[in-house]
């Protein structure tokens, strides 16, 4: 039995978006918790990038995940990486979340659900919420190539942080 997955079709140009290890990362611009635009391509060539998609601000597992990334920030910076947390929450929710937990990583608002669709990490419905991001991590090298992909169907499962660090150490 062959499993066929339907990928996101960009409504503007009708292109399919396949995001797999070895592919070029798809560019985007999202607002951070300070309502400042962050464009992924601005970091290509400068840093390795960790995109950490998560379910919702203030949920227990997401809080632990974002705090885990933040607590490892110095180590990740030493691996020449920058971390972006991405959820469908508003920049205002991200601001309150970052302040409550003293997070230094940038939290990006995919309020319009464009990036979770581009990266094919959408829960159509989960726990009564519609069209929110799956828990997923992508590591993008300085050349803009995806070198690691982890996607969980279970929003209660956290990524393997040591595995992410190992991938980043191999890129250094």
């Amino acid at each position: 039995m062959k499993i066929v997955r339907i990928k996101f079709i960009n409504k503007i140009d009708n292109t399919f978006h396949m995001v797999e290890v070895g592919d070029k990362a798809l560019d985007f611009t999202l607002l951070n918790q300070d309502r400042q635009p962050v464009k992924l391509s601005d970091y290509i060539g400068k840093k390795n990038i960790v995109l950490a998609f998560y379910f919702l601000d203030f949920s227990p597992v997401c809080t632990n995940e974002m705090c885990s990334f933040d607590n490892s920030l110095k180590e990740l910076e030493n691996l020449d990486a920058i971390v972006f947390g991405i959820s469908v929450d508003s920049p205002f929710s991200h601001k309150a979340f970052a302040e409550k937990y003293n997070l230094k990583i940038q939290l990006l608002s995919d309020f319009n659900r464009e990036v979770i669709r581009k990266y094919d990490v959408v829960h159509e419905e989960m726990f009564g919420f519609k069209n929110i991001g799956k828990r997923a991590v992508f590591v993008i090298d300085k050349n803009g190539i995806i070198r690691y992909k982890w996607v969980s169907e279970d929003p209660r499962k956290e990524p393997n942080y040591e595995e992410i660090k190992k991938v980043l150490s191999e890129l250094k």
Side-chain angles (χ1 to χ4, degrees):
M1 177 168 152
K2 185 176 181 181
I3 297 174
V4 177
R5 295 178 65 199
I6 299 172
K7 299 291 182 181
F8 170 66
I9 299 174
N10 186 323
K11 292 179 181 170
I12 295 170
D13 62 9
N14 289 322
T15 57
F16 287 89
H17 294 284
M18 301 289 292
V19 182
E20 299 296 339
V21 171
D23 291 344
K24 187 161 182 58
L26 300 172
D27 199 16
F28 60 80
T29 302
L30 295 174
L31 295 180
N32 68 13
Q33 68 263 36
D34 296 318
R35 292 182 286 151
Q36 298 300 310
V38 173
K39 186 173 184 178
L40 182 67
S41 59
D42 287 347
Y43 294 87
I44 303 296
K46 299 174 185 166
K47 295 272 183 194
N48 296 309
I49 302 163
V50 177
L51 300 181
F53 292 88
Y54 65 102
F55 198 65
L56 292 170
D57 292 339
F58 299 103
S59 62
V61 179
C62 297
T63 298
N64 192 59
E65 180 186 12
M66 291 302 106
C67 288
S68 294
F69 276 117
D70 200 72
N71 291 337
S72 298
L73 194 56
K74 284 292 181 205
E75 186 178 358
L76 294 167
E77 287 173 347
N78 287 338
L79 294 170
D80 210 16
I82 187 166
V83 178
F84 296 110
I86 302 173
S87 83
V88 298
D89 290 297
S90 73
F92 304 104
S93 177
H94 283 338
K95 182 77 167 176
F97 183 54
E99 286 177 355
K100 178 170 181 165
Y101 294 102
N102 195 30
L103 300 175
K104 294 168 275 328
I105 63 173
Q106 292 191 66
L107 303 176
L108 307 182
S109 174
D110 189 19
F111 196 73
N112 292 325
R113 278 86 171 153
E114 293 172 16
V115 178
I116 61 172
R117 292 208 181 280
K118 276 185 175 185
Y119 279 78
D120 193 27
V121 293
V122 180
H123 276 300
E124 298 299 332
E125 185 170 350
M126 180 64 68
F127 303 132
F129 295 98
K130 293 187 184 281
N131 300 312
I132 59 173
K134 294 179 181 179
R135 192 169 315 284
V137 176
F138 294 83
V139 174
I140 302 166
D141 71 15
K142 289 180 184 177
N143 296 315
I145 305 301
I146 297 170
R147 297 297 175 194
Y148 174 85
K149 175 184 176 180
W150 174 84
V151 180
S152 177
E153 295 298 322
D154 182 355
R156 296 166 292 207
K157 184 175 181 182
E158 289 184 58
N160 183 328
Y161 303 105
E162 293 307 313
E163 190 173 80
I164 294 164
K165 291 173 193 173
K166 181 177 183 260
V167 170
L168 288 168
S169 69
E170 292 168 359
L171 296 176
K172 195 168 179 196

